[in-house]
Amino acid sequence: MGSADSKLNFRKAVIQLTTKTQPVEATDDAFWDQFWADTATSVQDVFALVPAAEIRAVREESPSNLATLCYKAVEKLVQGAESGCHSEKEKQIVLNCSRLLTRVLPYIFEDPDWRGFFWSTVPGAGRGAGEDDDENARPLAESLLLAVADLLFCPDFTVQSHRRSTVDSAEDIHSLDSCEYIWEAGVGFAHSPQPNYNHDMNRMELLKLLLTCFSEAMYLPPAPDSSSVNPWVQFFCSTENRHALPLFTSLLNTVCAYDPVGYGIPYNHLLFSDHREPLVEEAAQVLIVSLDHDCATPTVDGTTTGTAMDDADPPGPENLFVNYLSRIHREEDFQFILKGIARLLSNPLLQTYLPNSTKKIQFHQELLVLFWKLCDFNKKFLFFVLKSSDVLDILVPILYFLNDARADQSRVGLMHIGVFILLLLSGERNFGVRLNKPYSVRVPMDIPVFTGTHADLLIVVFHKIITSGHQRLQPLFDCLLTIVVNVSPYLKSLSMVAANKLLHLLEAFSTTWFLFSAAQNHHLVFFLLEVFNNIIQYQFDGNSNLVYAIIRKRSVFHQLANLPTDPPAIHKALQRRRRAPEALSRTSSQEGVSMEGSHPAAPAEPGTLKASLVATPGIEKLTEKSQVSEDGTLRSLEPAPQQNLAECSPASEEPSQAWREQRRLSSASAGGQWSPTSEWEPQPLPQVLSWKSKLPLQTIMRLLQVLVPQVEKICIDKGLTDESEILRFLQHGTLVGLLPVPHPILIRKYQANSGTAVWFRTYMWGVIYLRNVDPPVWYDTDVKLFEIQRV
């Protein structure tokens, strides 16, 4: 029978199902088999031949037929898993059922009345006809998940058979040790199986079904407490699933071992197609969703337990995927994971050297979520990353993505996750130390040309985001500057370009108009002053460029010290600016040339879809302050009671209100440049006086007092207009004994909280929704976790 005939028969069956108002008996195999018996349909065909309107019609008008269809399809998967899928016909039935369920499940999840359906047992579904069978029958969801897990290790269907003979008896599938059939070498597995196109495709279809099962989370509104457990993920990652370990390992290794075709051999991918990539994408998505777990699980006495990292392994999280991830500890495993993720994250950057020379991967957002989970759940991995300078192979792609996405509103989620990862890394001293490595890999980026270190790259990119990103990035300014503060005590020599960028930010943020136009704005000035203080106190010797820039811009510090605090002056400053609203000026000193081969960051194409995000917590909720002791260890500081003044972003807002606010902001920022909105009210006077008195200006004022007269003297004596002489003087100068006693180094370390857990869940599912367009699994269904908007 031709493919056209089988499509026609399949379509006829769908029409029959949607027009029958009477329930069709579950025993009417002739009717039900039409849906999966011999159809040569692809997953795309199934989506085309089963329209959304018809699925909803069956759901509303003949619910028992929809229930039977689901139950029969699951039954076929269970039978395939039991028998081991030896014949081509069985394999075909399994694939058809899995495509059909992938198509139908989202419409079951979108209707609250149906949501419990898969968690109920189907009457009469016990193998025998006796009453007892119904008692211990599994819920449909469990049968489905266990069947998919078995099918993912089915010899000659999804894995290479180890047997010479083909007369495997059916019960072998139950005695089979799936740990011997892990899909790829890597963590905990040394053997790399021969690649097999069919096996990859079959795995991919089953993983798509699995992801669709997990996607029930999309149909529930974001819960403020992150404890909402996804029952599908919870069961699949529990001890009930005997394949949990080999599956976790297979997914992780498949992602980390992937080498996009053409890596090393330019233009290779144009000669033959790469069937691995769709599998790798699917594996990455299933993996990050399986790891969606709030790790701080309260114990009986109400304290929280960390991950199972200690040698005396506590029980650890119930979720076995999280448990296994948190227990990885061998150096070679860490090396394999880090190298793999860094290789894939750098792939889009390779594109910019030899256009189209390598296959360009699209799943960098999933990789960033995976990297975040690894660092969050496995502290040994985090320390491994920071110990080697390979951390820079993660840093450079993140900075590239941040710079590239800064004008594109549809990628605001990517901006957030990139900044969150850098915030997490910046809480560790080693990260600051690593940034001193010279930056020589010239990735074409739309930033000024400079010669310097990775720290210079970070500062130049952050400056570009703040001065020329779109308006919805404002909540990230605190995070960006916190990262710079965290690394500042370790930066040995900033370039002149980076030093000028920092002073340009201070200049912009310390105008009276900006300082008074919102209650939080002065925090940005405090962060920048802290950066300068850290560098002067701890790294004065190598930082003559920064000292020189501070001397040149000394008027900014004097203005800050003499900030007017009387209401008329404040009012005048605000009025002055309201009359002439120009964006944060980007004309910075001397350098305007961008790097060769770079393209300016482009706004989103009109019509691009984006998923809305919940608001992220303010920097005070995101971080906790620690003090660095003499020996380099960190001591946690108790937050002062009145510290909530600094919570900038409304984490407690109702999501819908947050969306409205974001919409307002996004419509306001069509120009793409940053100017605070006029409806912000100036802050009350007592508040201004209280923070003005705390401005940490003593160190800088002392430095200016000592050095300015000396620099002026050199200029007069030598009639100098040349900077190099002054820089030489500053390089050899010293302020030992002249500055105030060094303040203790303060680090603001990222701390997990329920707000970020909800944010990550929403972001991750938004990415998965938008990336699965062929077939469009969730498109046009009524998702509740986020809103889909057109840019």
Side-chain angles (χ1 to χ4, degrees):
M1 188 168 66
S3 140
D5 296 342
S6 62
K7 281 183 201 170
L8 192 63
N9 290 349
F10 178 71
R11 179 70 191 129
K12 278 183 187 156
V14 174
I15 292 170
Q16 282 179 316
L17 183 70
T18 50
T19 49
K20 281 187 195 294
T21 47
Q22 293 305 308
V24 183
E25 286 301 319
T27 49
D28 184 352
D29 285 339
F31 175 76
W32 296 112
D33 283 350
Q34 305 175 88
F35 288 98
W36 38 74
D38 51 8
T39 48
T41 51
S42 66
V43 67
Q44 284 77 8
D45 293 334
V46 170
F47 272 69
L49 298 169
V50 188
E54 294 182 21
I55 305 174
R56 289 191 176 111
V58 177
R59 186 183 72 193
E60 306 309 325
E61 282 138 43
S62 38
S64 74
N65 286 344
L66 181 60
T68 308
L69 179 74
C70 292
Y71 150 59
K72 295 291 283 185
V74 172
E75 186 182 55
K76 289 290 172 198
L77 289 179
V78 171
Q79 285 168 8
E82 295 277 322
S83 72
C85 272
H86 290 298
S87 68
E88 281 310 309
K89 185 175 163 108
E90 283 176 294
K91 292 173 187 170
Q92 197 56 57
I93 288 176
V94 162
L95 289 173
N96 287 331
C97 288
S98 97
R99 291 162 187 164
L100 195 60
L101 285 166
T102 301
R103 180 59 173 144
V104 170
L105 273 165
Y107 297 91
I108 286 183
F109 294 151
E110 75 175 1
D111 183 338
D113 295 339
W114 275 84
R115 216 163 279 144
F117 167 69
F118 268 85
W119 294 97
S120 58
T121 49
V122 179
R127 284 280 158 261
E131 287 296 296
D132 313 342
D133 286 324
D134 284 348
E135 291 298 298
N136 19 10
R138 280 192 176 281
L140 203 52
E142 295 187 4
S143 307
L144 170 55
L145 291 171
L146 293 175
V148 170
D150 280 340
L151 288 164
L152 286 167
F153 291 100
C154 195
D156 286 327
F157 180 48
T158 47
V159 291
Q160 213 73 47
S161 171
H162 292 183
R163 292 284 171 87
R164 288 268 172 269
S165 105
T166 49
V167 286
D168 290 352
S169 55
E171 57 270 15
D172 274 346
I173 194 87
H174 300 293
S175 56
L176 166 145
D177 175 7
S178 45
C179 284
E180 293 173 12
Y181 289 89
I182 287 170
W183 301 350
E184 189 59 69
V187 176
F189 193 67
H191 169 66
S192 197
Q194 272 297 303
N196 179 310
Y197 176 78
N198 289 330
H199 294 173
D200 276 1
M201 289 298 122
N202 296 341
R203 291 165 181 175
M204 192 193 78
E205 299 229 30
L206 289 165
L207 289 179
K208 199 170 275 300
L209 171 58
L210 198 52
L211 194 60
T212 309
C213 291
F214 293 167
S215 72
E216 187 182 39
M218 284 194 207
Y219 298 91
L220 303 168
D225 62 327
S226 58
S227 58
S228 51
V229 176
N230 182 330
W232 295 85
V233 173
Q234 188 180 27
F235 180 79
F236 190 76
C237 299
S238 73
T239 47
E240 295 267 356
N241 178 359
R242 70 189 181 98
H243 304 292
L245 178 60
L247 250 172
F248 167 75
T249 315
S250 293
L251 295 172
L252 183 64
N253 293 353
T254 298
V255 173
C256 295
Y258 176 56
D259 217 341
V261 172
Y263 192 74
I265 311 172
Y267 304 101
N268 203 355
H269 68 292
L270 301 177
L271 306 180
F272 52 90
S273 68
D274 173 16
H275 58 269
R276 202 86 227 237
E277 189 182 13
L279 172 67
V280 176
E281 280 194 20
E282 213 65 52
Q285 293 176 0
V286 168
L287 188 55
I288 59 178
V289 169
S290 304
L291 294 167
D292 179 23
H293 175 80
D294 189 18
C295 220
T297 35
T299 51
V300 188
D301 60 355
T303 57
T304 57
T305 56
T307 46
M309 279 310 308
D310 328 329
D311 297 332
D313 282 337
E318 301 276 280
N319 177 323
L320 290 179
F321 278 39
V322 174
N323 206 329
Y324 298 141
L325 183 76
S326 68
R327 288 167 187 253
I328 298 172
H329 61 276
R330 294 183 351 185
E331 294 260 320
E332 56 268 41
D333 289 343
F334 287 157
Q335 190 62 38
F336 164 75
I337 294 171
L338 182 58
K339 279 267 184 270
I341 292 179
R343 178 176 60 239
L344 291 171
L345 284 178
S346 306
N347 161 275
L349 285 59
L350 293 173
Q351 294 300 317
T352 49
Y353 295 128
L354 280 175
N356 307 322
S357 63
T358 53
K359 188 177 173 58
K360 188 162 188 175
I361 62 153
Q362 301 294 334
F363 55 98
H364 48 271
Q365 300 195 81
E366 292 92 321
L367 288 166
L368 290 173
V369 175
L370 177 59
F371 181 76
W372 171 269
K373 302 260 177 214
L374 279 155
C375 293
D376 200 23
F377 292 154
N378 190 324
K379 288 297 170 259
K380 287 183 181 166
F381 176 75
L382 176 61
F383 295 132
F384 175 84
V385 169
L386 290 164
K387 188 176 76 183
S388 71
S389 56
D390 291 350
V391 67
L392 301 175
D393 297 337
I394 300 284
L395 169 76
V396 172
I398 289 179
L399 291 175
Y400 173 85
F401 293 131
L402 290 178
N403 187 56
D404 188 52
R406 70 181 189 274
D408 181 347
Q409 286 188 39
S410 68
R411 293 195 281 168
V412 69
L414 168 64
M415 299 291 297
H416 275 78
I417 187 169
V419 172
F420 283 157
I421 289 173
L422 298 182
L423 180 65
L424 180 72
L425 295 175
S426 75
E428 308 297 333
R429 174 183 179 274
N430 263 351
F431 182 64
V433 173
R434 295 275 161 249
L435 290 180
N436 290 308
K437 188 175 174 182
Y439 173 66
S440 49
V441 266
R442 290 277 173 252
V443 177
M445 277 159 100
D446 178 28
I447 52 172
V449 180
F450 69 91
T451 304
T453 65
H454 284 75
D456 293 308
L457 176 69
L458 178 120
I459 288 168
V460 170
V461 169
F462 283 10
H463 174 270
K464 193 92 182 181
I465 293 168
I466 291 172
T467 56
S468 68
H470 60 78
Q471 204 161 7
R472 285 181 54 199
L473 300 178
Q474 272 185 53
L476 283 176
F477 290 2
D478 276 2
C479 276
L480 291 168
L481 293 186
T482 297
I483 294 164
V484 181
V485 173
N486 281 347
V487 301
S488 59
Y490 312 108
L491 304 184
K492 295 201 178 305
S493 61
L494 285 188
S495 68
M496 190 58 94
V497 173
N500 283 327
K501 294 299 180 197
L502 286 175
L503 279 141
H504 176 235
L505 288 179
L506 181 72
E507 212 172 350
F509 290 150
S510 61
T511 61
T512 43
W513 167 80
F514 179 78
L515 278 174
F516 296 141
S517 48
Q520 311 306 331
N521 286 356
H522 63 279
H523 291 220
L524 301 171
V525 169
F526 275 75
F527 285 140
L528 284 163
L529 291 175
E530 201 175 327
V531 170
F532 299 144
N533 287 339
N534 281 340
I535 293 178
I536 294 166
Q537 296 275 20
Y538 292 98
Q539 300 291 347
F540 180 81
D541 286 351
N543 274 298
S544 51
N545 286 329
L546 181 70
V547 174
Y548 179 60
I550 289 174
I551 291 174
R552 277 186 52 221
K553 292 281 183 188
R554 56 190 177 275
S555 60
V556 179
F557 299 97
H558 290 301
Q559 276 163 9
L560 266 175
N562 301 315
L563 200 67
T565 47
D566 54 305
I570 292 177
H571 192 66
K572 196 166 143 200
L574 288 167
Q575 287 305 102
R576 198 167 51 234
R577 187 55 185 249
R578 209 161 279 171
R579 279 198 300 278
E582 66 195 74
L584 179 54
S585 127
R586 30 160 117 187
T587 47
S588 174
S589 44
Q590 90 298 66
E591 68 314 285
V593 191
S594 270
M595 296 173 79
E596 197 182 337
S598 65
H599 298 288
E605 293 283 315
T608 307
L609 294 180
K610 62 169 183 175
S612 60
L613 290 165
V614 293
T616 49
I619 195 72
E620 293 294 318
K621 284 208 177 99
L622 266 180
T623 54
E624 76 183 345
K625 288 186 181 168
S626 312
Q627 201 168 312
V628 182
S629 320
E630 303 267 310
D631 59 358
T633 54
L634 289 179
R635 193 165 61 78
S636 189
L637 294 181
E638 285 304 308
Q642 78 288 12
Q643 210 142 39
N644 59 356
L645 167 148
E647 286 161 16
C648 56
S649 144
S652 53
E653 268 187 334
E654 284 300 296
S656 56
Q657 193 188 338
W659 284 326
R660 278 201 299 279
E661 170 64 10
Q662 286 186 339
R663 284 233 189 85
R664 188 183 68 71
L665 276 174
S666 53
S667 59
S669 68
Q673 286 181 354
W674 175 63
S675 57
T677 43
S678 53
E679 64 249 41
W680 286 356
E681 281 307 301
Q683 11 178 356
L685 191 62
Q687 218 168 302
V688 174
L689 288 169
S690 98
W691 63 251
K692 186 195 166 186
S693 64
K694 297 195 186 84
L695 279 168
L697 286 165
Q698 303 80 337
T699 302
I700 294 171
M701 288 313 198
R702 185 80 185 109
L703 172 140
L704 292 172
Q705 197 187 351
V706 174
L707 293 180
V708 169
Q710 300 181 345
V711 168
E712 284 175 341
K713 185 171 185 315
I714 294 176
C715 293
I716 293 165
D717 289 355
K718 309 221 167 158
L720 268 188
T721 49
D722 179 23
E723 294 181 351
S724 55
E725 185 86 17
I726 300 170
L727 284 168
R728 206 167 308 131
F729 162 71
L730 291 173
Q731 263 159 10
H732 298 117
T734 172
L735 291 175
V736 175
L738 296 173
L739 292 179
V741 178
H743 55 287
I745 297 176
L746 270 189
I747 298 288
R748 292 170 182 81
K749 281 175 85 89
Y750 166 81
Q751 55 166 2
N753 61 60
S754 57
T756 45
V758 176
W759 186 90
F760 270 96
R761 180 169 307 135
T762 312
Y763 169 64
M764 170 181 78
W765 278 114
V767 168
I768 290 171
Y769 177 103
L770 292 171
R771 299 258 300 108
N772 282 273
V773 287
D774 182 28
V777 183
W778 299 282
Y779 189 68
D780 274 350
T781 60
D782 186 18
V783 293
K784 293 277 192 294
L785 185 62
F786 41 80
E787 285 180 10
I788 294 293
Q789 305 148 346
R790 284 191 185 280
V791 174

